Amino acid sequence: MTDVTKINDVISLERVDSVALVCIDNPPVNASAQSVRAGLVQAIDAANADDAVEVIAIYAAGRTFVAGADIREFGKPPLSPSLPDAINHIEASAKPVISAPHGTALGGGLEICMGTHARVGVKGLRVGLPEINLGLLPGAGGTQRGPRLMGMKHTLDMALTGNMVSGEDALAWGLIDRLEDGAPRDVALAGARAVLDGTLATRRTSDLPVTVDEEALAAARAMVAKKMANLDSAPMVIEAVERSTGDVKEGMVFERECFMACLKTASGRGMQHAFFAERAVAKIPEAGATPRPVEKIGVIGGGTMGSGIATAALTSGLAVRLIEISQEGLDKGVGFITKNLDGAVKRGKMSAEKRDAAMARLEPSTDMETLADVDLVIEAVFENMDVKKDIFGQLDKICKAGAVLASNTSYLNVDEIAAATSRAEDVIGLHFFSPANIMKLLEVVVAEKTAPEVVATGFALAKKMRKIAVRAGVCDGFIGNRILAYYGKTAGYLMEDGASPEQIDTALENFGFAMGPYKVGDLAGLDIGWANRKRMAATRPNEERYVRIHDKICETGAYGRKTGSGFYIYDEGDIRPNPVALKIIDEERAAKGITPGDFTDQEIVDRYMTAMISEAARVVEEGIALRPIDVDAVFLFGYGFPRFRGGPLKYADEIGATEIVKRIETYAKDDPYYWKVPAILRRMAEDGSTFADLNDK
Ligand code: 3H9
């Protein structure tokens, strides 16, 4: 016989004979919010008080078991009971408690399982301790119970990488006891019955011994020192795991202190902001529109960009028709794609069979007419408006009705491109980042007449291609390249005024960027910016200070890595400053009568970041980005912005608008044309509001 009691909105208790089934139902991901924690405690108490109950089993409804603590509660006053207390209560239950996780048991979700007396996973289960990705460490016993169940090495690996592992691995490591097929409720019930008939053993994890693994601890320390120096929580993971050899309760007190301390760190706030940024960008005005079906796409241009886009599309299961004008260009494009896919196989990212199937979906052609049957075309030829207009004019005649016509332009006016067709509503910008088969970001550029379902199609395509799409409006360079063009000038001014490219790069790398701007420029190719500056030369205002160093370096034929030199010389893995570039810098300073000054690394970072924030503020002000968090996402996923800082506008909030305005006003004394306070920042400095306030609107 069964009867179900609702403990509260999210927890129910069902009795089936002598088994008490506790169900967690807190959509979308069963986060362990206060109601879940309180409900679990009450359910355990109720089941213990019911004489008919012999075993308790916890499972969850919906698509996943508990995906962790409720991240939205972080930073708010703690609500009782805490998750560690709730889990300790479960572990202390007089009657045996088992858990039957399905989907993903992550962070606090996995820690709930660790606190039960046995774990029966549902096949397909993945588990992990992803707290590190939020700038935290497991805070509900994971660092203490993990080593007792699976040893120090696996606990450290899980907690320091944040990677999910399969149920099969979890079983092999002893983290779970069984892996069964079936619906979570059925698996939970069968597991409880196995406890009753003595075929599934139960024990308290806290009672198990821990073996010290010096080798794993040393490897973890070395890895953290080398790769995770900016994350406050990383060394704490190791220290907490190290303490697991003592009493669990004491270890948990230490773990909790570390967890609470991490919540207050800027790196924790930055990482949590980045987590939400990745998801917030999907909230667009066109979210309700139905995307058009896309199965076959056309890619025009077989250069680095076009072949990267084609690779990403093929990898995601789409059929691709690749167009080039000449057979030679086409062969080159197919060669790039083959190399990209072979590389994925070599790195273990793709099976050889999948690569062969992807290549079979590629149809190269020199005939534009073959684009007649594709659902969407991405034009990825070089940045020239006349060429693009000509191509879109042709596409207008060739493509079927309803096909989406996209340009991968990184700067140009999509309204103007759309005007070359008779169907502006079908035209959109899809700005991929190089290498397009690797980089996560896709700017979806919405032109004046773009139809809502075309925007929705761009976002759906991004999802299929595992990209993070950010909605952008039309302006020169959209969100990312527009801001880059602006703060890139500051780096040039700093260089002309006395800082070396190497000093600027090092200062910004120490700030957290994977690579400084001059190394990035060399990697991307200095000729790209050069071409763009030539395009803009006629419209450059006379008042603007112009640094000619980059152009002069390009004039020597040094375009960066691809030519072996740029700001640096690239010699078989060795990188050193290029003396030719340094000589040009000296000559330019002399020609302008500049006596080189000294800049500290902090001054470099402050000027660079203030410039980035100023232009980002204008991009928000003008509605080019929907919200500040969209700008943050662009920089996190397309420009190597340090994740632990959350993005330029999250960083701006950390500094505060008053300080930023003060800096701009100080810099403006030397260059009032370049340094102007954006109205939005002025207002924030006056009323104390933040960019975060605009995200919440
Ligand atoms: C922790 O557990 C600390 C403990 O050790 C100690 C505590 C004392 N909270 O990703 P999706 C939202 S730290 C609140 O698109 P998917 C998400 O924002 C936590 N909300 O789905 C989104 O909302 P919206 C450790 C959360 O199917 C919606 O759910 N856990 C949380 O692609 C759907 O999310 C993690 O770090 C949360 N914990 O992927 C796991 N998680 O629709 C984080 C998600 O309004 N979560 N949301 O934008 C994930 O990795 C993925 O969400 C998951 C599902 C793989 C579960």
Side-chain angles (χ1 to χ4, degrees):
M1 73 131 237
T2 89
D3 61 276
V4 183
T5 316
K6 264 194 118 21
I7 299 284
N8 61 22
D9 281 354
V10 291
I11 302 288
S12 60
L13 180 64
E14 177 186 8
R15 190 161 64 71
V16 183
D17 305 326
S18 60
V19 175
L21 290 171
V22 179
C23 178
I24 305 169
D25 188 4
N26 184 27
V29 295
N30 287 316
S32 62
Q34 193 271 343
S35 51
V36 169
R37 305 190 301 265
L40 281 175
V41 168
Q42 276 182 50
I44 296 292
D45 287 346
N48 270 287
D50 183 344
D51 289 341
V53 170
E54 288 179 70
V55 182
I56 306 160
I58 302 174
Y59 73 100
R63 59 174 148 138
T64 179
F65 191 75
V66 177
D70 189 339
I71 302 171
R72 286 166 215 274
E73 282 182 7
F74 294 166
K76 297 188 181 143
L79 296 167
S80 180
S82 69
L83 189 58
D85 287 348
I87 296 173
N88 288 341
H89 195 82
I90 293 170
E91 192 180 48
S93 163
K95 292 179 184 173
V97 185
I98 68 157
S99 48
H102 74 288
T104 46
L106 302 175
L110 181 58
E111 290 170 302
I112 292 176
C113 298
M114 289 179 182
T116 61
H117 305 146
R119 290 146 290 279
V120 183
V122 178
K123 276 201 179 143
L125 172 71
R126 288 181 303 157
V127 299
L129 293 172
E131 289 88 344
I132 197 84
N133 297 330
L134 300 165
L136 303 170
L137 75 161
T143 63
Q144 305 303 303
R145 293 193 180 98
R148 287 178 160 75
L149 291 168
M150 59 178 153
M152 283 189 171
K153 181 180 176 332
H154 294 310
T155 308
L156 286 166
D157 281 353
M158 238 190 214
L160 286 172
T161 63
N163 290 343
M164 288 194 220
V165 303
S166 66
E168 284 74 12
D169 280 345
L171 183 64
W173 299 347
L175 179 56
I176 61 171
D177 302 290
R178 284 185 181 182
L179 203 52
E180 304 286 355
D181 251 333
R185 181 184 171 281
D186 297 342
V187 171
L189 187 57
R193 285 185 171 144
V195 174
L196 282 173
D197 68 23
T199 52
L200 177 62
T202 56
R203 72 275 188 223
R204 287 194 173 87
T205 308
S206 296
D207 294 340
L208 302 174
V210 183
T211 311
V212 181
D213 187 340
E214 288 296 356
E215 206 178 307
L217 286 165
R221 271 188 221 107
M223 199 269 280
V224 166
K226 194 165 164 213
K227 296 194 182 151
M228 304 174 83
N230 290 316
L231 267 192
D232 301 285
S233 60
M236 295 184 193
V237 168
I238 302 174
E239 206 180 331
V241 167
E242 217 170 357
R243 291 192 185 208
S244 64
T245 50
D247 176 66
V248 170
K249 294 266 153 56
E250 277 172 28
M252 282 183 71
V253 169
F254 177 75
E255 182 198 70
R256 182 85 182 150
E257 279 167 11
C258 292
F259 184 83
M260 299 311 278
C262 286
L263 281 180
K264 295 198 184 90
T265 59
S267 64
R269 290 193 293 273
M271 296 290 278
Q272 286 152 44
H273 183 79
F275 174 87
F276 286 117
E278 194 170 336
R279 288 155 179 84
V281 290
K283 293 179 179 118
I284 52 165
E286 297 82 1
T290 309
R292 295 181 186 166
V294 175
E295 271 158 31
K296 185 185 262 190
I297 72 163
V299 176
I300 307 175
T304 319
M305 208 60 217
S307 52
I309 296 170
T311 306
L314 290 167
T315 308
S316 69
L318 291 164
V320 175
R321 187 158 284 145
L322 180 74
I323 305 288
E324 260 289 347
I325 311 173
S326 68
Q327 189 59 44
E328 196 195 343
L330 197 59
D331 292 344
K332 246 187 177 172
V334 174
F336 283 143
I337 295 168
T338 312
K339 202 172 145 212
N340 288 341
L341 293 175
D342 285 348
V345 174
K346 236 185 236 157
R347 292 195 307 276
K349 300 257 174 210
M350 190 186 233
S351 68
E353 293 74 43
K354 282 217 164 120
R355 181 227 11 232
D356 296 345
M359 282 309 283
R361 288 194 298 273
L362 175 66
E363 295 175 82
S365 172
T366 50
D367 182 4
M368 285 273 280
E369 298 287 336
T370 58
L371 293 175
D373 66 344
V374 301
D375 305 309
L376 180 146
V377 186
I378 303 170
E379 162 279 307
V381 305
F382 56 96
E383 291 285 82
N384 179 302
M385 183 54 98
D386 292 337
V387 174
K388 298 213 186 240
K389 278 185 178 167
D390 178 54
I391 289 176
F392 276 77
Q394 289 185 55
L395 290 176
D396 192 24
K397 295 194 185 78
I398 295 168
C399 291
K400 66 182 181 189
V404 173
L405 310 182
S407 173
N408 176 55
T409 177
S410 31
Y411 291 94
L412 300 178
N413 188 324
V414 184
D415 286 322
E416 211 179 319
I417 297 174
T421 72
S422 62
R423 34 171 140 172
E425 66 283 3
D426 293 338
V427 178
I428 194 163
L430 292 179
H431 179 211
F432 289 83
F433 287 69
S434 190
N437 49 317
I438 309 242
M439 293 294 284
K440 291 291 254 178
L441 180 65
L442 175 68
E443 276 182 327
V444 176
V445 185
V446 181
E448 197 190 336
K449 294 189 178 147
T450 310
E453 66 272 19
V454 171
V455 180
T457 309
F459 272 75
L461 179 74
K463 195 163 186 196
K464 192 166 173 64
M465 291 170 81
R466 292 167 171 260
K467 304 278 176 213
I468 296 167
V470 178
R471 190 187 191 283
V474 174
C475 69
D476 207 89
F478 318 123
I479 298 177
N481 280 347
R482 167 171 164 179
I483 299 171
L484 168 72
Y486 185 81
Y487 69 78
K489 288 179 194 162
T490 301
Y493 300 156
L494 282 162
M495 179 168 60
E496 207 171 53
D497 288 341
S500 70
E502 200 183 12
Q503 190 198 353
I504 296 170
D505 278 350
T506 307
L508 290 157
E509 283 160 17
N510 289 340
F511 176 78
F513 281 95
M515 247 189 225
Y518 292 105
K519 284 191 196 141
V520 172
D522 275 359
L523 186 65
L526 299 177
D527 51 323
I528 297 174
W530 191 29
N532 197 44
R533 285 190 298 278
K534 282 191 226 166
R535 178 176 67 85
M536 302 295 283
T539 56
R540 188 175 305 124
N542 287 335
E543 303 93 315
E544 186 181 304
R545 174 177 173 188
Y546 188 68
V547 175
R548 290 175 303 215
I549 297 168
H550 306 65
D551 301 353
K552 297 229 151 162
I553 294 173
C554 287
E555 283 164 20
T556 69
Y559 293 167
R561 271 185 196 236
K562 60 185 168 191
T563 57
S565 68
F567 282 96
Y568 297 88
I569 291 187
Y570 300 86
D571 210 359
E572 286 175 13
D574 177 50
I575 305 180
R576 59 181 187 278
N578 181 3
V580 176
L582 295 179
K583 188 164 165 275
I584 291 172
I585 296 170
D586 282 342
E587 284 166 2
E588 281 301 302
R589 286 176 186 156
K592 289 193 178 177
I594 297 171
T595 313
D598 282 333
F599 291 95
T600 63
D601 287 3
Q602 190 60 50
E603 278 167 340
I604 291 172
V605 169
D606 286 352
R607 277 192 185 246
Y608 191 84
M609 287 310 304
T610 305
M612 192 186 292
I613 292 164
S614 301
E615 192 64 3
R618 285 183 201 105
V619 159
V620 172
E621 205 164 36
E622 291 170 24
I624 298 297
L626 284 177
R627 295 149 296 221
I629 203 165
D630 293 70
V631 177
D632 288 338
V634 164
F635 278 82
L636 288 168
F637 304 113
Y639 292 81
F641 195 91
R643 195 176 167 97
F644 71 95
R645 296 199 189 270
L649 294 179
K650 171 68 185 164
Y651 180 66
D653 276 352
E654 293 285 327
I655 305 170
T658 310
E659 167 65 18
I660 297 166
V661 168
K662 201 171 93 195
R663 281 188 201 165
I664 298 173
E665 285 172 345
T666 309
Y667 305 150
K669 285 179 192 147
D670 294 331
D671 185 352
Y673 179 78
Y674 178 83
W675 292 106
K676 290 191 179 79
V677 178
I680 191 172
L681 271 171
R682 172 89 61 208
R683 184 170 50 72
M684 284 177 178
E686 278 162 13
D687 67 13
S689 63
T690 61
F691 286 110
D693 297 333
L694 295 173
N695 290 329
D696 295 339
K697 275 191 181 152

